[in-house]
């Protein structure tokens, strides 16, 4: 990469925001952004995230404080679900530490896809019926990435977790989730108490081909 192109890439604010996005596992509650600023950032990122047929099927519930603790706290939803399937004799210690690290943040985003939207599109466009569930997964992935990057840009750390479907029923009951919303991921967030370590990248020439 020439120096001119390298400088051009480094000056791109969008790419800079993506560079900041890392999996942050050491969180605390000392965030500088307000609850309102964090909420607005999440809402705007989801609003702007693209989706097939402009379906806008992504849904989210933002949990702050005690509501987030219901998910990650001792005796909470995730712990109860994991203990039910934990093999006899296997230690829960490492899992307990992981859950405590998520609980140390200020909140959690629950990401869903609205199946009623997907099913409606399948009926409206039967030729593409098999594709809409796949495109729905694209939609939630894009929304998650958009939110994750937007939070990183305001110095709020996060990681993406997938305890679904183990926790689906309890999440639905605890947070009054609409029946058509399917849980896809959980994103605990908070202040970056410890930055992520170096990240290795495969040579981009092995992953992206340029023709012409």
């Amino acid at each position: 990469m020439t120096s001119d192109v390298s400088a051009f890439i480094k000056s791109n604010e969008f790419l800079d925001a993506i560079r900041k996005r890392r999996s942050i596992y050491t969180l605390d509650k000392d965030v500088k952004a307000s609850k309102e600023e964090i909420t607005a950032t999440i809402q705007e990122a989801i609003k702007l995230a693209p989706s097939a047929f402009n379906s806008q099927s992504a849904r989210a519930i933002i949990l702050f404080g005690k509501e987030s603790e219901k998910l990650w706290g001792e005796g909470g939803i995730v712990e109860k679900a994991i203990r039910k399937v934990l093999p006899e004799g296997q230690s829960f210690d490492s899992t307990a530490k992981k859950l405590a690290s998520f609980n140390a943040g200020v909140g959690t985003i629950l990401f869903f896809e609205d199946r009623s939207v997907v099913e409606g599109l399948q009926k409206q466009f039967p030729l593409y019926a098999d594709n809409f569930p796949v495109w729905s997964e694209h939609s939630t992935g894009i929304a998650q990435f958009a939110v994750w990057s937007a939070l990183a840009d305001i110095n709020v750390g996060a990681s993406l977790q997938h305890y679904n479907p183990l926790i689906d029923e309890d999440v639905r009951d605890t947070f009054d989730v609409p029946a058509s919303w399917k849980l896809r991921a959980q994103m605990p967030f908070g202040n970056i108490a410890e930055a992520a370590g170096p990240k290795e990248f495969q040579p981009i020439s092995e992953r992206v081909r340029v023709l012409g």
Side-chain angles (χ1 to χ4, degrees):
M1 186 182 297
T2 66
S3 59
D4 287 347
V5 173
S6 179
F8 172 78
I9 293 300
K10 289 181 179 179
S11 68
N12 187 303
E13 293 182 3
F14 177 69
L15 293 179
D16 191 47
I18 295 176
R19 289 187 197 97
K20 293 177 182 176
R21 184 222 55 80
R22 297 294 305 278
S23 293
I24 304 298
Y25 297 108
T26 307
L27 303 170
D28 63 33
K29 303 186 189 305
D30 190 27
V31 290
K32 303 302 184 289
S34 68
K35 175 182 175 181
E36 291 75 20
E37 289 169 337
I38 292 172
T39 297
T41 298
I42 295 167
Q43 291 173 327
E44 191 71 2
I46 291 175
K47 172 185 172 182
L48 297 175
S51 56
F53 285 64
N54 195 30
S55 62
Q56 301 179 54
S57 55
R59 303 287 184 267
I61 295 176
I62 308 172
L63 308 174
F64 284 100
K66 297 292 185 182
E67 295 301 309
S68 183
E69 290 176 13
K70 291 178 183 178
L71 191 69
W72 306 117
E74 188 174 350
I77 292 171
V78 178
E79 179 178 331
K80 287 179 180 178
I82 293 176
R83 286 191 181 278
K84 288 178 182 178
V85 298
L86 193 70
E88 186 176 352
Q90 182 172 323
S91 173
F92 187 74
D93 290 350
S94 61
T95 300
K97 290 179 181 178
K98 184 183 293 186
L99 299 185
S101 73
F102 303 150
N103 198 45
V106 297
T108 302
I109 309 160
L110 302 176
F111 288 95
F112 304 83
E113 279 291 296
D114 192 338
R115 289 177 294 186
S116 68
V117 174
V118 177
E119 291 166 3
L121 287 168
Q122 287 177 307
K123 292 176 182 177
Q124 187 177 356
F125 302 100
L127 183 63
Y128 304 111
D130 291 343
N131 296 98
F132 282 112
V134 177
W135 293 336
S136 172
E137 293 302 307
H138 296 173
S139 172
T140 189
I142 294 170
Q144 291 160 22
F145 175 75
V147 168
W148 201 348
S149 299
L151 288 178
D153 203 45
I154 59 170
N155 298 312
V156 174
S159 67
L160 195 63
Q161 306 301 319
H162 300 90
Y163 287 93
N164 45 292
L166 280 178
I167 63 173
D168 287 22
E169 185 175 344
D170 285 340
V171 164
R172 186 176 309 283
D173 293 341
T174 302
F175 303 115
D176 193 25
V177 179
S180 65
W181 291 19
K182 183 178 181 181
L183 183 64
R184 305 313 298 138
Q186 307 83 51
M187 184 178 287
F189 62 86
N191 182 55
I192 303 172
E194 183 178 327
K199 183 176 181 178
E200 294 185 3
F201 293 95
Q202 297 177 27
I204 196 62
S205 59
E206 296 178 5
R207 299 176 60 194
V208 180
R209 297 174 64 193
V210 181
L211 306 177

